[in-house]
Amino acid sequence: MNTDFLNQSIEFVKGVGPARSKLLGEELNLKTIKDLIDFYPFRYIDRSRFYKIEEIPKNQSEVQIIGKIKSIRRTKVRYRDRLNCEFYDNSGKIDLIWYRGFNWVEESLKINDEYVVYGKVTWFGNKPSIAHPEIKSISNFNRNVPRRLHGIYSSTERLVNEGVTQKYFIKIIYNVLNSIQNHIKENLSSSILQEFNLIDRYKAIVNIHLPESQELLTESTKRLKFEELFFNQLGFQLTKNDRIQKLNGFKFEKVGNNLNEFYKNTLPFELTSDQKKVIKEIRNDFLNGKQMNRLLQGDVGSGKTIVSLMVMLIAIDNGFQSCILAPTEILANQHFKSLSKLLIDYDVKVDLLTGSSKTRERNLIHSNLLSGKTNILVGTHAILEDVVKFKNLGLSIIDEQHRFGVAQRAKLWKKNNPAPHILVMTATPIPRTLAMSLYGDLDISYIKELPPGRITTKTVHKYDKNRLSVFKFLKDQIYKGRQVYLVYPLINESEKLDYKDLMDGYESIIREFPRPDFQVSIVHGKMKSKDKDYEMKRFINRETQILVSTTVIEVGVNVPNASVMVIESAERFGLSQLHQLRGRVGRGNDESYCILMTKDKLSEDSKLRIETMVKVSDGFKLAEVDLKLRGPGDILGTRQSGMLRFKLADIVYDTEILNNARNSAINILKTDPKLNKNENLPIRDEISTSSYSKNLWRYIS
Ligand code: ADP
Ligand code: MG
């Protein structure tokens, strides 16, 4: 691209000028010609054709028709007032519907006059209707809108007030597009264009703004989505190749005493074949002299902890330290305890460092780390602090990766030189597309099978009105010696209302399950961690039978005797989170239950989610559904999904384009890692100049 030209202020675009340029800059951050070119319409209106009512295709969302009104009458449907117009052309009939503004319709629309109607069609069986259509008498029609397929640009109130109309946008963009033909260069190779049947870049940009036809709009969208995803994936591949090339990693060649001993004498069960496979993959990484960056995906309860322990033993056997990072203190504590217990007969020192470690303790740990006395450090974010230095850190493990950001991963890299091997583990299965666009530079291992003997947790949906029967069921379970989790949604830890729900719930549980027969613990995010631990401990030691909590319990907690998970207001959780919570039970060999409590009236969406939970137990399948239902933001949390903000591409729906883009990025770099071949020059040029890929330049220059 000719950057000089494209970086010129929009002030010089015909029809803009200083005042408008300032206004557009302030309101929409449109400053340069490039900004304007990149400012795609957010939707389109097809005014290029009129449909016969009879011929409206069922998949066409918005249509334009010409016809006459036969009747106007007010009706009531399910207590709701509405106004119904029967609208005819010579092929058929469609209903126009209003739910408000009745007077306007009755006063201004005339029976038997001719109108142009535009709007979104809804089908009730074979009957089409349009609610709140745009309707204009035929004589008024031509003056106001271009009769073509055209885009709608996002605008602001101020712009509208100052006379910046949609027509104006179209006009200035038309002017820009006319002047840039020579400045927009192709940025994909001709073989890619050919292979995936993509139109050229200039044509795509023109048609995304001013589509000549529906077909060309589709082609342009496809082309520009491909481009976005291609450079995104190319970025991941370049980063990864560069890392592999430049960064050496520690070699752990020895299979030493600790691991052998542990495998033979301590390992409390036979590893599943997936666990073995993953350990093998990691061992290979340890041998090839490069730094490992691997993501381990395994459903809740699939046994990731033991895998992490065994690979840490490999590091130790080779003279290196390891650390494992957990998102909460509860979880860090739990890891610390289970590791210490499993390693009790070994000459392996495990330490725990969290936000609540006392200064004295902390100082001791710091010096143990430096002297090499500590072999395994378990902890929370506290590990990331700069004061925490190791003698020889060889392996860092991050548990529940989705709770951490990329920046934190990077901090671990700096704890040794060369950087330690990194293993990130997640129990929120991420659909493949998401994993590719988020962790495209990581290698991925999967544990898909659960340890043998697990009985699938029985999941049921109960309405609030059935609460008494649920309580009775809980009592039966408790009398059988089982324990129960009761979780309240706390979407936002500071929300007063949520706390009230939790505390009210707690009170009513204590009333319903009185002492001395029953003991109840409570854990939530606002408690001091000492109190949290105390309550947790009582539950773990079976001193209490019911644990009332917020979602702090969601991550990783392991109490095999707990067999019932009751989730209150389950409709407020996403599928992935519900699945995480459900994973807290079914860890022993007893029949276990997950009870989803909801209010009596549910939205369609919530109903679908709850039904899916009841039917599907596979976390990977649920993640796919969740992604479709709620989008990446709800699966990953906003921080990470921010990285997925593409202009056009939508990784939920554009899977095929994403796969193609990824494969061609990989293939191109395989044969031409520095993009030196003539035919790849357009790609190279793009990387050297464009803002979204400029930071990649260092990898190929
Ligand atoms: P997660 O993958 O969710 O972190 P954990 O590592 O906590 O799962 O393991 C869940 C439970 O399964 C633990 O009690 C663990 O001891 C047990 N477990 C792990 N691997 C096996 C296995 N191969 N056979 C039997 N039980 C296992
Ligand atoms: Mg775990």
Side-chain angles (χ1 to χ4, degrees):
M1 248 197 223
N2 182 329
T3 40
D4 289 348
F5 177 81
L6 295 177
N7 286 330
Q8 274 178 26
S9 160
I10 55 170
E11 190 182 331
F12 304 110
V13 173
K14 202 168 134 210
V16 180
R20 284 269 157 104
S21 150
K22 185 159 169 279
L23 187 63
L24 290 168
E26 282 168 9
E27 290 297 295
L28 296 170
N29 208 16
L30 297 175
K31 303 210 161 110
T32 64
I33 291 184
K34 183 169 186 317
D35 293 339
L36 205 53
I37 296 170
D38 288 344
F39 185 60
Y40 302 155
F42 70 96
R43 68 183 190 97
Y44 296 86
I45 288 184
D46 191 354
R47 289 291 164 81
S48 63
R49 63 174 289 184
F50 292 93
Y51 283 88
K52 291 258 175 242
I53 293 174
E54 184 64 27
E55 289 163 6
I56 297 175
K58 284 224 164 154
N59 60 1
Q60 180 70 34
S61 77
E62 281 161 343
V63 296
Q64 176 171 256
I65 44 186
I66 298 187
K68 291 178 181 174
I69 296 175
K70 271 278 150 64
S71 71
I72 302 180
R73 73 201 148 85
R74 295 199 185 200
T75 57
K76 241 188 192 26
V77 176
R78 279 195 230 108
Y79 305 109
R80 207 172 163 196
D81 288 324
R82 78 180 211 187
L83 189 79
N84 215 75
C85 272
E86 290 179 294
F87 192 79
Y88 285 88
D89 64 9
N90 55 18
S91 77
K93 185 194 102 166
I94 190 168
D95 281 332
L96 308 181
I97 298 165
W98 281 265
Y99 294 100
R100 47 182 189 275
F102 299 164
N103 291 342
W104 175 84
V105 177
E106 285 167 341
E107 281 160 22
S108 53
L109 299 186
K110 305 254 161 359
I111 289 178
N112 280 331
D113 274 9
E114 203 162 14
Y115 291 97
V116 175
V117 163
Y118 181 85
K120 194 170 169 205
V121 185
T122 313
W123 292 89
F124 298 98
N126 280 324
K127 276 180 67 181
S129 66
I130 301 179
H132 290 267
E134 234 185 84
I135 181 162
K136 288 204 169 79
S137 81
I138 191 99
S139 53
N140 273 340
F141 174 63
N142 285 337
R143 266 177 276 146
N144 292 327
V145 265
R147 283 184 69 164
R148 57 177 296 170
L149 171 61
H150 71 94
I152 300 284
Y153 293 89
S154 39
S155 188
T156 67
E157 206 180 324
R158 182 166 162 225
L159 285 173
V160 173
N161 289 340
E162 308 236 353
V164 174
T165 58
Q166 288 297 322
K167 253 175 138 176
Y168 176 77
F169 275 119
I170 291 176
K171 191 179 87 189
I172 61 173
I173 281 175
Y174 176 82
N175 289 340
V176 166
L177 293 176
N178 267 337
S179 62
I180 58 165
Q181 176 141 32
N182 297 328
H183 302 280
I184 301 277
K185 278 209 255 166
E186 183 50 68
N187 60 9
L188 295 173
S189 66
S190 46
S191 66
I192 290 184
L193 295 182
Q194 224 162 39
E195 183 178 356
F196 298 106
N197 218 345
L198 303 172
I199 62 172
D200 79 62
R201 185 145 197 267
Y202 179 70
K203 194 167 173 186
I205 289 177
V206 169
N207 278 283
I208 198 96
H209 286 290
L210 307 169
E212 276 168 51
S213 66
Q214 199 71 52
E215 289 69 36
L216 267 172
L217 175 59
T218 309
E219 289 303 310
S220 309
T221 314
K222 176 178 145 195
R223 143 84 216 208
L224 293 169
K225 282 178 174 177
F226 185 96
E227 177 184 320
E228 255 189 318
L229 294 170
F230 175 79
F231 284 100
N232 166 267
Q233 291 299 317
L234 190 71
F236 278 129
Q237 293 311 315
L238 284 170
T239 321
K240 183 174 167 184
N241 288 358
D242 178 72
R243 188 181 68 220
I244 291 174
Q245 221 170 50
K246 288 197 196 132
L247 284 187
N248 288 325
F250 299 115
K251 270 194 185 181
F252 300 162
E253 287 176 312
K254 258 211 303 238
V255 181
N257 287 341
N258 283 314
L259 184 69
N260 277 331
E261 187 72 12
F262 186 85
Y263 192 77
K264 268 194 238 124
N265 300 328
T266 311
L267 188 62
F269 34 66
E270 174 82 11
L271 293 175
T272 65
S273 54
D274 276 357
Q275 285 171 319
K276 286 183 191 158
K277 180 195 71 190
V278 171
I279 292 176
K280 206 181 259 165
E281 284 165 348
I282 295 173
R283 283 220 55 212
N284 284 338
D285 290 347
F286 285 167
L287 290 173
N288 70 13
K290 301 293 175 190
Q291 183 214 18
M292 169 177 83
N293 270 280
R294 186 171 283 280
L295 169 67
L296 171 54
Q297 287 211 58
D299 212 338
V300 259
S302 60
K304 295 183 292 295
T305 315
I306 204 81
V307 170
S308 61
L309 168 58
M310 292 177 68
V311 299
M312 286 194 286
L313 289 180
I314 300 179
I316 293 167
D317 281 337
N318 285 273
F320 288 86
Q321 293 164 298
S322 303
C323 69
I324 178 161
L325 201 67
T328 62
E329 289 202 9
I330 292 182
L331 195 54
N333 267 306
Q334 191 177 287
H335 278 317
F336 175 68
K337 275 178 214 148
S338 59
L339 293 180
S340 308
K341 200 165 135 202
L342 285 164
L343 296 173
I344 193 153
D345 296 328
Y346 292 77
D347 187 20
V348 172
K349 183 163 171 52
V350 186
D351 275 327
L352 175 69
L353 183 70
T354 70
S356 47
S357 304
K358 301 265 163 17
T359 315
R360 215 169 48 102
E361 210 181 325
R362 196 181 281 255
N363 289 337
L364 184 63
I365 291 174
H366 287 171
S367 74
N368 282 346
L369 285 171
L370 269 180
S371 70
K373 213 165 158 191
T374 302
N375 301 107
I376 296 178
L377 179 66
V378 183
T380 55
H381 291 78
I383 293 185
L384 298 170
E385 286 168 25
D386 290 335
V387 287
V388 180
K389 296 197 174 79
F390 293 79
K391 179 178 182 213
N392 201 4
L393 180 65
L395 169 64
S396 293
I397 298 177
I398 306 180
D399 198 12
E400 310 298 345
Q401 149 74 15
H402 63 295
R403 298 279 173 124
F404 294 93
V406 179
Q408 287 155 324
R409 224 199 301 161
K411 276 199 159 173
L412 286 171
W413 283 41
K414 303 222 174 83
K415 301 254 175 211
N416 205 352
N417 187 12
H421 296 296
I422 306 273
L423 177 66
V424 300
M425 309 199 291
T426 175
T428 306
I430 306 172
R432 228 179 82 79
T433 48
L434 259 190
M436 261 157 49
S437 0
L438 204 55
Y439 305 119
D441 58 335
L442 301 183
D443 295 309
I444 304 185
S445 293
Y446 292 95
I447 303 184
K448 292 213 158 160
E449 92 197 286
L450 296 180
R454 290 280 164 78
I455 305 169
T456 335
T457 299
K458 206 166 172 173
T459 304
V460 291
H461 174 200
K462 293 282 175 193
Y463 291 103
D464 281 341
K465 58 182 179 217
N466 302 328
R467 186 166 295 273
L468 283 182
S469 72
V470 172
F471 284 162
K472 181 170 175 311
F473 176 76
L474 298 185
K475 282 181 186 158
D476 288 348
Q477 284 289 307
I478 293 171
Y479 286 132
K480 283 186 185 158
R482 303 279 98 83
Q483 288 164 288
V484 173
Y485 292 105
L486 237 141
V487 174
Y488 285 82
L490 211 60
I491 308 304
N492 177 351
E493 289 272 336
S494 63
E495 251 178 54
K496 279 212 185 82
L497 209 65
D498 284 342
Y499 263 101
K500 193 172 167 309
D501 284 354
L502 172 75
M503 295 321 288
D504 289 354
Y506 178 57
E507 302 285 318
S508 75
I509 291 299
I510 287 185
R511 242 177 291 129
E512 195 63 39
F513 296 83
R515 282 180 233 187
D517 280 15
F518 303 99
Q519 304 286 337
V520 184
S521 304
I522 181 167
V523 171
H524 60 73
K526 276 194 179 162
M527 290 163 69
K528 289 216 184 74
S529 71
K530 203 177 75 210
D531 301 335
K532 244 190 292 191
D533 279 359
Y534 173 76
E535 293 280 310
M536 238 3 256
K537 213 177 274 164
R538 295 207 308 147
F539 188 67
I540 292 168
N541 297 336
R542 300 205 197 178
E543 288 160 31
T544 66
Q545 297 93 35
I546 301 178
L547 178 67
V548 175
S549 85
T550 62
T551 47
V552 290
I553 217 68
E554 170 195 351
V555 167
V557 172
N558 190 19
V559 181
N561 188 53
S563 64
V564 188
M565 166 64 67
V566 182
I567 304 173
E568 294 284 347
S569 307
E571 73 274 9
R572 294 175 62 186
F573 292 93
L575 282 176
S576 300
Q577 212 178 7
L578 289 173
H579 182 64
Q580 278 283 310
L581 289 168
R582 178 167 62 184
R584 296 307 109 218
V585 296
R587 314 200 124 222
N589 290 328
D590 302 303
E591 181 86 70
S592 59
Y593 307 86
C594 175
I595 303 175
L596 307 170
M597 303 290 303
T598 71
K599 58 184 179 187
D600 300 338
K601 269 196 96 160
L602 289 179
S603 70
E604 284 305 307
D605 203 52
S606 310
K607 218 181 261 167
L608 183 57
R609 228 176 314 131
I610 301 288
E611 278 167 10
T612 308
M613 270 309 285
V614 171
K615 271 194 290 215
V616 181
S617 59
D618 179 326
F620 285 94
K621 279 204 194 105
L622 282 174
E624 298 278 354
V625 180
D626 208 15
L627 186 60
K628 294 230 159 82
L629 285 181
R630 311 215 306 167
D634 284 295
I635 296 188
L636 300 164
T638 38
R639 176 170 40 191
Q640 290 192 20
S641 59
M643 294 165 56
L644 296 174
R645 216 159 286 139
F646 294 109
K647 264 166 48 160
L648 285 174
D650 179 333
I651 55 160
V652 179
Y653 297 102
D654 298 324
T655 343
E656 192 188 332
I657 303 182
L658 176 59
N659 276 320
N660 290 340
R662 178 176 174 84
N663 291 336
S664 54
I666 293 174
N667 289 337
I668 282 183
L669 293 180
K670 233 181 236 159
T671 51
D672 187 14
K674 294 275 172 188
L675 299 172
N676 283 331
K677 282 192 183 163
N678 245 342
E679 87 134 17
N680 292 328
L681 284 185
I683 301 171
R684 194 184 162 86
D685 279 353
E686 171 71 36
I687 291 180
S688 72
T689 55
S690 140
S691 54
Y692 67 72
S693 39
K694 199 152 45 187
N695 59 343
L696 300 175
W697 180 240
R698 62 197 153 109
Y699 296 133
I700 55 171
S701 60

